[in-house]
Amino acid sequence: MDGELGQKVVVVMVSVANQEEAGKIADLVVRSRLAACVSTIPTVQSTYRWEGKIVNDQESLIFIKTTSDKVLPLQEAILTVHTYKVPEIIAISVTQGFQPYLDWVRSEVS
């Protein structure tokens, strides 16, 4: 079942400005059935180059569990709320996992 088009479970990683923004995105994507679950790490330290400068920022990081066929609509929904000019939105394929959980993810977004 994992190989079926659109039914591959993915984790979408998104860095956000703060927990408030994380909560807004989490609520939007779960209510819209674009995600089964969103987990938030409230505080991460990020270091990156932006507009020629090294930046050290405190952000929140969210992990969104969904299926591959929802990634593009999920990204569109995130962009309606996200405050960054170029947000990190990265989808990572799940190659293995606890089958009942993977089945639950699929059922929640179908």
Side-chain angles (χ1 to χ4, degrees), residues 6-13 34 36-37 63-71 74 90-95 101-102 105-106:
Q7 289 300 308
K8 184 72 176 167
V9 173
V10 298
V11 175
V12 178
M13 204 171 69
L34 294 171
C37 174
F63 292 93
I64 303 169
K65 280 68 81 172
T66 190
T67 53
S68 57
D69 63 325
K70 300 293 183 183
V71 171
L74 176 75
I90 300 172
I92 303 164
S93 292
V94 175
T95 58
Y101 180 79
L102 300 177
V105 169
R106 288 184 191 97

Side-chain angles (χ1 to χ4, degrees), residues 2-109:
D2 275 352
E4 290 178 21
L5 183 62
Q7 289 300 308
K8 184 72 176 167
V9 173
V10 298
V11 175
V12 178
M13 204 171 69
V14 182
S15 56
V16 296
N18 52 49
Q19 283 186 266
E20 181 182 345
E21 189 169 317
K24 286 179 183 176
I25 290 171
D27 188 63
L28 172 65
V29 301
V30 171
R31 282 184 189 277
S32 302
R33 297 188 78 81
L34 294 171
C37 174
V38 178
S39 301
T40 302
I41 299 174
T43 306
V44 296
Q45 190 68 33
S46 297
T47 303
Y48 53 93
R49 186 180 310 274
W50 183 251
E51 296 178 342
K53 296 178 186 168
I54 300 295
V55 178
N56 291 293
D57 267 343
Q58 198 170 67
E59 301 177 293
S60 293
L61 186 61
I62 57 178
F63 292 93
I64 303 169
K65 280 68 81 172
T66 190
T67 53
S68 57
D69 63 325
K70 300 293 183 183
V71 171
L72 288 178
L74 176 75
Q75 179 175 285
E76 290 172 12
I78 291 167
L79 292 173
T80 68
V81 178
H82 209 296
T83 58
Y84 291 177
K85 190 188 301 185
V86 182
E88 171 189 37
I89 304 172
I90 300 172
I92 303 164
S93 292
V94 175
T95 58
Q96 293 183 11
F98 183 55
Q99 196 61 50
Y101 180 79
L102 300 177
D103 292 342
W104 173 78
V105 169
R106 288 184 191 97
S107 71
E108 287 301 308
V109 298

